[in-house]
Amino acid sequence: SRGCPNNCAFCANSELSGRHWRPRDVESVVSEMESIVIDSGIRQFVFWDEYFNCSAQHVHNLCSAICKSRILGFGRTIAWRATVGARPSQSNIWKQMVRAGCKEISIGIESGDDRVLKDLNKRWTSSDNSKIIENAEQYVNIRLLMMTGTPAQRPGTLQMDIDFINRHLHMINMIATTIFVPVPGSSIYNNPEKYNCKLKTTEPNKSFGVYDSTGLVKPVPHIISKYMSEMELQKDMTEFI
């Protein structure tokens, strides 16, 4: 699919592909997967949808089609992962996803501090994030996606993040932490004053080398925060990473 109806303050997706969610035809997706298996022998896939579970019906249709494909081993001889939104009401989709070959879901929880989630315009709370972890962990491996150095980070946020991780440590398999960078096109980049911060224009944040998906960005603040000094923010960021 393309597009995402969410409007997270740190994300530029609304500028790149819009907020209108457009699912790809299920038969087309399965046909491409089958072609990859036949032509290359590859049986591991990643769905790079911004919001894989935007529609539970679409997930159901896709998984059903995979489970009917002999080339894909009826879902038993392939492996795939996807990034999902924290929708506790969709507790019935995980079993079906696993039956279709899903081995891991990534959940962008960002923080265990509800003040941070609210300021970042996340649709879900830390309680919602806990519920999806509890619902999914009995079926599938879970990777948490967390972020540090955001404009909303405050004294105490670090401990809330650590506490959240510790409460769910026995349920998750991996934690991917990233350094917040004000990405061009995101709401924070376009309107930093709305988020109580200033962009550090003296830093090389106008170079796209900073927006490196490898995670090699140094743990230094890319904003001047209202809530913490640069030294305090960097200390917490370094400890968290």
XYZ file of all heavy atoms in Angstrom, residues 48-125:
622
model
N 7.059 -2.970 3.097
C 7.505 -1.654 3.534
C 6.355 -0.654 3.635
O 6.572 0.550 3.634
C 8.591 -1.123 2.593
C 9.913 -1.788 2.785
C 10.566 -2.587 1.896
C 10.746 -1.732 3.943
N 11.754 -3.040 2.433
C 11.895 -2.520 3.691
C 10.646 -1.097 5.183
C 12.922 -2.692 4.614
C 11.668 -1.269 6.107
C 12.781 -2.050 5.822
N 5.140 -1.146 3.750
C 3.995 -0.264 3.966
C 4.242 0.594 5.213
O 4.743 0.102 6.228
C 2.719 -1.059 4.189
C 2.423 -2.046 3.071
O 3.345 -2.771 2.671
O 1.271 -2.098 2.628
N 3.826 1.849 5.157
C 3.914 2.698 6.342
C 3.002 2.168 7.446
O 3.285 2.329 8.633
C 3.504 4.133 5.982
C 4.495 4.865 5.094
C 5.715 5.324 5.854
O 5.648 5.441 7.096
O 6.749 5.564 5.208
N 1.898 1.537 7.055
C 0.855 1.156 8.004
C 0.203 -0.125 7.486
O -0.878 -0.096 6.931
C -0.140 2.313 8.099
C -1.195 2.239 9.163
C -1.264 1.201 10.080
C -2.168 3.236 9.239
C -2.242 1.154 11.039
C -3.154 3.215 10.201
C -3.189 2.171 11.102
O -4.168 2.126 12.052
N 0.870 -1.243 7.692
C 0.459 -2.512 7.091
C -0.966 -2.895 7.484
O -1.729 -3.421 6.675
C 1.431 -3.622 7.510
C 1.113 -4.967 6.947
C 1.467 -5.297 5.644
C 0.446 -5.924 7.717
C 1.160 -6.545 5.117
C 0.137 -7.170 7.193
C 0.495 -7.479 5.896
N -1.348 -2.649 8.729
C -2.653 -3.072 9.222
C -3.678 -1.938 9.227
O -4.584 -1.901 10.059
C -2.546 -3.675 10.627
C -1.951 -2.703 11.643
O -1.086 -1.887 11.307
N -2.397 -2.784 12.888
N -3.516 -1.005 8.298
C -4.479 0.097 8.194
C -5.893 -0.446 8.008
O -6.858 0.094 8.556
C -4.107 1.010 7.029
S -5.179 2.436 6.841
N -6.010 -1.522 7.245
C -7.298 -2.174 7.028
C -7.187 -3.652 7.401
O -6.432 -4.400 6.772
C -7.723 -2.053 5.561
O -8.776 -2.954 5.263
N -7.933 -4.059 8.419
C -7.915 -5.463 8.834
C -8.434 -6.360 7.714
O -7.960 -7.485 7.538
C -8.752 -5.647 10.101
N -9.388 -5.860 6.934
C -9.936 -6.639 5.834
C -8.882 -6.882 4.758
O -8.790 -7.977 4.191
C -11.142 -5.918 5.229
C -11.855 -6.718 4.144
C -12.419 -8.030 4.663
O -13.137 -8.056 5.653
N -12.075 -9.136 4.007
N -8.072 -5.851 4.483
C -7.014 -6.010 3.484
C -5.980 -7.028 3.958
O -5.503 -7.851 3.175
C -6.348 -4.665 3.215
C -5.346 -4.695 2.111
N -5.687 -4.891 0.788
C -3.987 -4.560 2.130
C -4.600 -4.881 0.034
N -3.558 -4.680 0.820
N -5.636 -6.980 5.244
C -4.710 -7.968 5.808
C -5.294 -9.368 5.660
O -4.600 -10.308 5.263
C -4.416 -7.661 7.292
C -3.588 -8.793 7.915
C -3.683 -6.336 7.438
N -6.569 -9.502 5.973
C -7.248 -10.796 5.848
C -7.195 -11.297 4.401
O -6.872 -12.466 4.145
C -8.704 -10.652 6.298
C -9.564 -11.832 5.964
N -9.534 -13.017 6.674
C -10.471 -12.028 4.950
C -10.378 -13.882 6.142
N -10.958 -13.307 5.098
N -7.493 -10.408 3.458
C -7.506 -10.816 2.047
C -6.117 -11.226 1.568
O -5.964 -12.213 0.832
C -8.028 -9.664 1.182
C -9.489 -9.361 1.452
O -10.216 -10.173 2.023
N -9.932 -8.179 1.046
N -5.095 -10.466 1.978
C -3.734 -10.788 1.570
C -3.289 -12.126 2.148
O -2.739 -12.977 1.431
C -2.780 -9.677 2.016
C -1.287 -9.931 1.758
C -1.023 -10.081 0.262
C -0.439 -8.807 2.335
N -3.508 -12.306 3.434
C -3.082 -13.549 4.081
C -3.831 -14.754 3.509
O -3.241 -15.832 3.326
C -3.292 -13.450 5.589
S -2.208 -12.266 6.405
N -5.094 -14.580 3.229
C -5.881 -15.669 2.635
C -5.333 -16.056 1.267
O -5.226 -17.245 0.933
C -7.352 -15.249 2.502
O -7.934 -15.050 3.772
N -4.959 -15.047 0.472
C -4.414 -15.316 -0.860
C -3.062 -16.027 -0.773
O -2.778 -16.930 -1.556
C -4.282 -14.005 -1.639
N -2.234 -15.614 0.177
C -0.939 -16.276 0.367
C -1.148 -17.742 0.754
O -0.470 -18.641 0.241
C -0.110 -15.549 1.449
C 0.362 -14.183 0.938
C 1.097 -16.399 1.870
C 1.064 -13.337 1.988
N -2.101 -17.980 1.646
C -2.345 -19.339 2.133
C -2.957 -20.250 1.060
O -3.008 -21.468 1.244
C -3.253 -19.300 3.362
S -2.451 -18.646 4.840
N -3.406 -19.674 -0.048
C -3.947 -20.469 -1.150
C -2.914 -20.722 -2.247
O -3.190 -21.458 -3.198
C -5.158 -19.750 -1.754
C -6.358 -19.671 -0.824
C -7.482 -18.857 -1.452
C -8.674 -18.721 -0.504
N -9.742 -17.854 -1.079
N -1.725 -20.112 -2.104
C -0.705 -20.213 -3.149
C 0.196 -21.429 -2.939
O 0.913 -21.512 -1.933
C 0.142 -18.941 -3.169
O 1.280 -19.105 -4.000
N 0.185 -22.328 -3.908
C 1.053 -23.502 -3.828
C 2.516 -23.081 -3.950
O 3.391 -23.646 -3.279
C 0.698 -24.483 -4.951
C 1.494 -25.783 -4.925
C 1.054 -26.706 -6.050
N -0.337 -27.091 -5.916
C -0.768 -28.107 -5.153
N 0.097 -28.808 -4.443
N -2.048 -28.399 -5.122
N 2.801 -22.104 -4.797
C 4.178 -21.634 -4.999
C 4.753 -21.048 -3.708
O 5.944 -21.198 -3.420
C 4.225 -20.587 -6.134
C 3.830 -21.237 -7.465
C 5.620 -19.961 -6.245
C 3.672 -20.246 -8.594
N 3.906 -20.399 -2.928
C 4.353 -19.823 -1.653
C 4.226 -20.821 -0.508
O 4.320 -20.447 0.669
C 3.551 -18.555 -1.342
C 3.658 -17.430 -2.378
C 2.845 -16.220 -1.930
C 5.119 -17.024 -2.608
N 4.018 -22.076 -0.856
C 3.945 -23.124 0.154
C 2.760 -22.967 1.084
O 2.810 -23.399 2.237
N 1.698 -22.332 0.588
C 0.503 -22.075 1.395
C 0.848 -21.286 2.668
O 0.196 -21.419 3.698
C -0.206 -23.384 1.751
C -0.470 -24.250 0.550
C 0.289 -25.389 0.319
C -1.451 -23.903 -0.379
C 0.062 -26.185 -0.801
C -1.692 -24.691 -1.497
C -0.928 -25.826 -1.719
N 1.917 -20.468 2.546
C 2.367 -19.650 3.666
C 3.366 -20.334 4.572
O 3.957 -19.694 5.451
N 3.611 -21.625 4.348
C 4.472 -22.385 5.266
C 5.945 -22.356 4.883
O 6.804 -22.694 5.701
C 3.981 -23.839 5.342
C 2.595 -23.998 5.951
C 2.298 -25.454 6.249
N 2.181 -26.250 5.036
C 1.033 -26.468 4.376
N -0.088 -25.915 4.824
N 1.007 -27.225 3.299
N 6.268 -21.987 3.634
C 7.666 -22.037 3.199
C 8.232 -20.654 2.891
O 9.254 -20.528 2.222
C 7.807 -22.935 1.955
O 7.065 -22.363 0.871
C 7.326 -24.343 2.248
N 7.545 -19.613 3.356
C 8.050 -18.250 3.195
C 8.130 -17.585 4.564
O 7.587 -18.083 5.550
C 7.150 -17.402 2.265
C 5.730 -17.286 2.840
C 7.128 -17.975 0.856
C 4.850 -16.286 2.102
N 8.831 -16.458 4.602
C 8.934 -15.671 5.840
C 8.849 -14.198 5.466
O 9.458 -13.769 4.488
C 10.249 -15.974 6.557
N 8.096 -13.424 6.250
C 8.006 -11.993 5.971
C 7.741 -11.224 7.257
O 7.359 -11.779 8.277
C 6.941 -11.691 4.929
C 5.557 -12.234 5.170
C 5.083 -13.466 4.806
C 4.456 -11.553 5.810
N 3.772 -13.598 5.169
C 3.349 -12.439 5.782
C 4.291 -10.306 6.375
C 2.107 -12.114 6.313
C 3.053 -9.957 6.912
C 1.981 -10.857 6.882
N 8.005 -9.920 7.173
C 7.744 -9.041 8.311
C 7.128 -7.741 7.809
O 7.206 -7.421 6.627
C 9.015 -8.760 9.114
C 10.146 -8.077 8.359
C 11.376 -7.977 9.258
N 12.553 -7.451 8.582
C 12.886 -6.164 8.560
N 12.107 -5.272 9.164
N 13.975 -5.762 7.943
N 6.517 -6.999 8.738
C 5.827 -5.768 8.363
C 5.785 -4.823 9.561
O 5.914 -5.245 10.709
C 4.411 -6.077 7.876
N 5.591 -3.534 9.278
C 5.434 -2.530 10.322
C 3.947 -2.266 10.525
O 3.219 -2.018 9.563
C 6.137 -1.215 9.937
O 7.539 -1.479 9.760
C 5.963 -0.165 11.016
N 3.519 -2.325 11.782
C 2.092 -2.204 12.079
C 1.833 -1.044 13.033
O 2.717 -0.598 13.754
C 1.533 -3.505 12.695
C 1.740 -4.676 11.746
C 2.180 -3.791 14.054
N 0.591 -0.569 13.028
C 0.151 0.444 13.976
C -0.421 -0.221 15.206
O -0.921 -1.351 15.153
N -0.371 0.473 16.339
C -0.828 -0.094 17.612
C -2.345 0.010 17.725
O -2.876 0.876 18.408
C -0.152 0.623 18.775
N -3.032 -0.916 17.084
C -4.493 -0.936 17.142
C -4.948 -2.148 17.950
O -5.077 -3.255 17.421
C -5.087 -0.982 15.730
C -4.706 0.209 14.873
C -5.325 0.158 13.500
N -6.777 0.301 13.548
C -7.539 0.350 12.455
N -6.983 0.270 11.257
N -8.842 0.486 12.551
N -5.178 -1.962 19.257
C -5.544 -3.088 20.130
C -6.790 -3.833 19.671
O -6.953 -5.027 19.945
C -5.786 -2.413 21.493
C -5.000 -1.155 21.436
C -5.075 -0.708 20.004
N -7.688 -3.149 18.967
C -8.934 -3.778 18.519
C -8.702 -4.842 17.456
O -9.603 -5.629 17.157
C -9.899 -2.723 17.976
O -9.337 -2.048 16.864
N -7.494 -4.879 16.889
C -7.208 -5.849 15.828
C -6.493 -7.087 16.373
O -5.659 -7.677 15.701
C -6.354 -5.205 14.741
C -7.077 -4.153 13.920
C -6.215 -3.618 12.792
O -4.994 -3.740 12.802
N -6.851 -3.001 11.808
N -6.823 -7.503 17.557
C -6.115 -8.614 18.199
C -6.290 -9.941 17.469
O -5.559 -10.897 17.720
C -6.598 -8.766 19.647
O -7.995 -9.004 19.682
N -7.245 -10.000 16.528
C -7.511 -11.267 15.835
C -6.708 -11.444 14.555
O -6.839 -12.480 13.891
C -9.006 -11.366 15.507
C -9.477 -10.222 14.614
O -8.923 -9.128 14.658
N -10.495 -10.478 13.813
N -5.879 -10.469 14.177
C -5.192 -10.587 12.885
C -3.842 -11.297 12.979
O -3.339 -11.795 11.977
C -4.982 -9.212 12.204
C -3.962 -8.364 12.978
C -6.306 -8.492 12.046
C -3.590 -7.074 12.247
N -3.248 -11.354 14.166
C -1.879 -11.872 14.283
C -1.789 -13.353 13.927
O -0.860 -13.779 13.241
C -1.343 -11.634 15.696
C -1.633 -10.258 16.193
C -2.343 -9.894 17.291
C -1.224 -9.026 15.581
N -2.424 -8.538 17.406
C -1.748 -7.973 16.379
C -0.485 -8.705 14.442
C -1.550 -6.629 16.062
C -0.293 -7.373 14.127
C -0.808 -6.357 14.929
N -2.739 -14.125 14.385
C -2.721 -15.558 14.111
C -2.799 -15.823 12.612
O -2.112 -16.697 12.080
C -3.881 -16.242 14.840
C -3.810 -17.753 14.835
C -4.895 -18.346 15.728
C -4.794 -19.863 15.775
N -5.844 -20.432 16.673
N -3.620 -15.055 11.930
C -3.757 -15.223 10.484
C -2.485 -14.801 9.755
O -2.070 -15.449 8.786
C -4.937 -14.413 9.969
C -5.238 -14.674 8.494
C -6.452 -13.910 8.024
O -6.804 -12.885 8.595
N -7.101 -14.392 6.981
N -1.864 -13.715 10.213
C -0.614 -13.268 9.607
C 0.469 -14.327 9.758
O 1.216 -14.621 8.814
C -0.170 -11.947 10.234
C -1.007 -10.746 9.807
S -0.657 -9.227 10.742
C 1.094 -8.967 10.347
N 0.562 -14.921 10.932
C 1.571 -15.954 11.172
C 1.308 -17.171 10.294
O 2.236 -17.775 9.742
C 1.587 -16.346 12.669
C 2.446 -17.578 12.899
C 2.094 -15.184 13.511
N 0.051 -17.537 10.138
C -0.304 -18.677 9.289
C 0.124 -18.426 7.844
O 0.462 -19.361 7.112
C -1.818 -18.919 9.347
C -2.238 -20.243 8.705
C -3.757 -20.440 8.752
N -4.230 -20.471 10.128
C -5.101 -19.605 10.644
N -5.601 -18.636 9.885
N -5.501 -19.709 11.888
N 0.170 -17.151 7.449
C 0.556 -16.791 6.083
C 2.059 -16.566 5.945
O 2.523 -16.145 4.884
C -0.194 -15.545 5.641
N 2.824 -16.801 7.013
C 4.279 -16.715 6.912
C 4.928 -15.568 7.648
O 6.156 -15.417 7.607
N 4.132 -14.713 8.308
C 4.713 -13.582 9.038
C 5.535 -14.078 10.228
O 5.051 -14.872 11.034
C 3.611 -12.646 9.525
S 4.233 -11.207 10.420
N 6.767 -13.602 10.336
C 7.659 -13.995 11.425
C 7.914 -12.872 12.413
O 8.355 -13.126 13.546
C 9.005 -14.473 10.861
C 8.913 -15.592 9.849
C 8.244 -16.839 10.426
C 8.198 -17.972 9.397
N 7.436 -19.142 9.898
N 7.676 -11.619 11.988
C 7.987 -10.495 12.870
C 7.144 -9.280 12.498
O 6.910 -9.015 11.324
C 9.470 -10.129 12.766
C 9.877 -8.943 13.613
C 11.332 -8.539 13.387
O 12.207 -9.159 13.991
O 11.568 -7.618 12.579
N 6.702 -8.561 13.538
C 6.066 -7.257 13.312
C 6.891 -6.190 14.005
O 7.474 -6.423 15.067
C 4.609 -7.213 13.832
C 4.547 -7.550 15.329
C 3.724 -8.145 13.015
C 3.176 -7.342 15.944
N 6.963 -5.022 13.395
C 7.625 -3.863 13.994
C 6.541 -2.876 14.418
O 5.643 -2.573 13.637
C 8.573 -3.190 12.993
O 9.605 -4.072 12.606
N 6.649 -2.397 15.659
C 5.646 -1.474 16.187
C 6.330 -0.163 16.541
O 7.218 -0.123 17.394
C 4.960 -2.039 17.444
C 4.483 -3.475 17.217
C 3.803 -1.150 17.865
C 3.988 -4.158 18.476
N 5.917 0.914 15.904
C 6.505 2.226 16.172
C 5.887 2.851 17.416
O 5.013 3.707 17.310
N 6.356 2.446 18.588
C 5.789 2.998 19.823
C 6.448 4.327 20.186
O 5.888 5.121 20.924
C 5.917 2.011 20.993
C 7.378 1.837 21.413
C 5.304 0.667 20.654
C 7.535 1.169 22.751
N 7.672 4.552 19.721
C 8.457 5.790 19.894
C 8.890 6.048 21.332
O 10.054 6.291 21.599
C 7.706 7.019 19.360
C 6.998 6.862 18.038
C 7.806 6.225 16.929
O 9.038 6.130 17.018
O 7.195 5.791 15.935
N 7.946 6.008 22.293
C 8.304 6.355 23.675
C 7.312 5.746 24.658
O 6.169 5.436 24.295
C 8.319 7.879 23.834
O 8.553 8.258 25.194
N 7.755 5.612 25.898
C 6.872 5.172 26.968
C 6.260 6.335 27.712
O 5.526 6.153 28.684
N 6.540 7.547 27.269
C 6.049 8.780 27.893
C 4.861 9.298 27.091
O 5.007 9.716 25.944
C 7.177 9.819 27.924
C 6.805 11.083 28.682
O 5.606 11.315 28.913
O 7.729 11.855 29.027
N 3.670 9.283 27.697
C 2.469 9.712 26.977
C 2.511 11.177 26.577
O 1.872 11.585 25.596
C 1.217 9.450 27.827
C 0.770 7.998 27.752
O 0.752 7.447 26.642
O 0.456 7.416 28.801
N 3.264 11.997 27.318
C 3.400 13.404 26.931
C 4.133 13.523 25.601
O 3.783 14.347 24.748
C 4.148 14.174 28.020
C 3.463 14.190 29.380
C 4.384 14.747 30.429
N 5.614 13.962 30.551
C 6.630 14.278 31.367
N 6.562 15.366 32.116
N 7.706 13.508 31.411
N 5.132 12.696 25.421
C 5.883 12.683 24.163
C 4.984 12.199 23.021
O 4.963 12.796 21.935
C 7.132 11.788 24.278
C 7.796 11.603 22.914
C 8.119 12.368 25.280
N 4.233 11.133 23.258
C 3.348 10.594 22.221
C 2.310 11.627 21.794
O 2.018 11.774 20.605
C 2.654 9.323 22.731
C 3.569 8.158 23.109
C 2.749 6.958 23.564
C 4.482 7.767 21.963
N 1.768 12.349 22.759
C 0.782 13.376 22.438
C 1.407 14.502 21.620
O 0.840 14.949 20.613
C 0.175 13.939 23.721
C -0.894 14.995 23.477
C -1.492 15.496 24.780
C -2.549 16.567 24.531
N -3.134 17.071 25.804
N 2.579 14.957 22.024
C 3.243 16.052 21.320
C 3.676 15.644 19.917
O 3.752 16.486 19.017
C 4.455 16.533 22.112
C 4.067 17.366 23.323
O 2.856 17.576 23.515
O 4.961 17.788 24.080
N 3.975 14.362 19.725
C 4.380 13.874 18.403
C 3.173 13.526 17.535
O 3.332 13.028 16.415
C 5.292 12.649 18.536
C 6.655 12.892 19.190
C 7.449 11.587 19.253
C 7.448 13.961 18.442
N 1.986 13.766 18.059
C 0.740 13.517 17.335
C 0.541 12.039 17.013
O -0.026 11.687 15.970
C 0.690 14.342 16.040
C -0.736 14.572 15.557
O -1.663 14.617 16.361
N -0.905 14.702 14.248
N 1.009 11.173 17.921
C 0.747 9.747 17.773
C -0.698 9.476 18.152
O -1.232 10.046 19.090
C 1.681 8.935 18.677
C 3.149 9.056 18.343
C 3.495 8.338 17.039
C 3.425 6.838 17.181
N 3.946 6.145 15.963
N -1.335 8.577 17.442
C -2.753 8.297 17.685
C -2.969 7.406 18.900
O -4.087 7.315 19.409
C -3.364 7.613 16.455
C -3.506 8.520 15.254
C -4.067 7.768 14.061
N -5.376 7.176 14.335
C -5.991 6.338 13.514
N -5.401 5.983 12.372
N -7.171 5.853 13.804
N -1.910 6.739 19.354
C -2.078 5.756 20.413
C -1.274 6.128 21.649
O -0.253 6.808 21.569
C -1.675 4.380 19.899
C -2.523 3.954 18.746
C -3.817 3.536 18.793
C -2.157 3.936 17.368
N -4.288 3.247 17.529
C -3.291 3.493 16.637
C -0.986 4.239 16.671
C -3.281 3.344 15.262
C -0.985 4.102 15.299
C -2.119 3.652 14.601
N -1.724 5.629 22.790
C -1.071 5.890 24.066
C -0.133 4.740 24.423
O -0.127 3.700 23.760
C -2.114 6.043 25.182
O -2.800 4.780 25.353
C -3.137 7.125 24.829
